[in-house]
Amino acid sequence: MGGKAVETTRNINKAFGPGTANERTVQCWLKTFCKGDESLEDEEHSGWPPEFDNNQLSAIIKADPLTTT
């Protein structure tokens, strides 16, 4: 699978721009897809929940796209 991940990473970066994907991430995707899981949804994971509301963030960005932190 290593060679396939290298080639797939190269193809993604060629199509969408350098640095779009890294080989380790592509290896994880391929492993997941080979198990039959073709879902593109993020899995739940541990850690702190986000401290912002996506709708509120979207409204802020739409109001002033040049806003920074």
Side-chain angles (χ1 to χ4, degrees), residues 25-40:
T25 300
V26 172
Q27 286 174 343
C28 290
W29 291 341
L30 292 174
K31 185 177 178 181
T32 300
F33 294 158
C34 286
K35 287 191 232 176
D37 181 359
E38 296 179 359
S39 170
L40 299 176

Side-chain angles (χ1 to χ4, degrees), residues 7-58:
E7 181 181 351
T8 302
T9 304
R10 189 177 312 123
N11 290 338
I12 292 170
N13 289 330
K14 185 176 178 183
F16 296 101
T20 301
N22 67 57
E23 188 179 333
R24 181 68 186 120
T25 300
V26 172
Q27 286 174 343
C28 290
W29 291 341
L30 292 174
K31 185 177 178 181
T32 300
F33 294 158
C34 286
K35 287 191 232 176
D37 181 359
E38 296 179 359
S39 170
L40 299 176
E41 298 298 319
D42 285 337
E43 294 179 4
E44 284 197 30
H45 46 81
S46 63
W48 291 97
E51 294 183 15
F52 60 88
D53 179 298
N54 281 333
N55 294 328
Q56 182 182 16
L57 179 60
S58 180

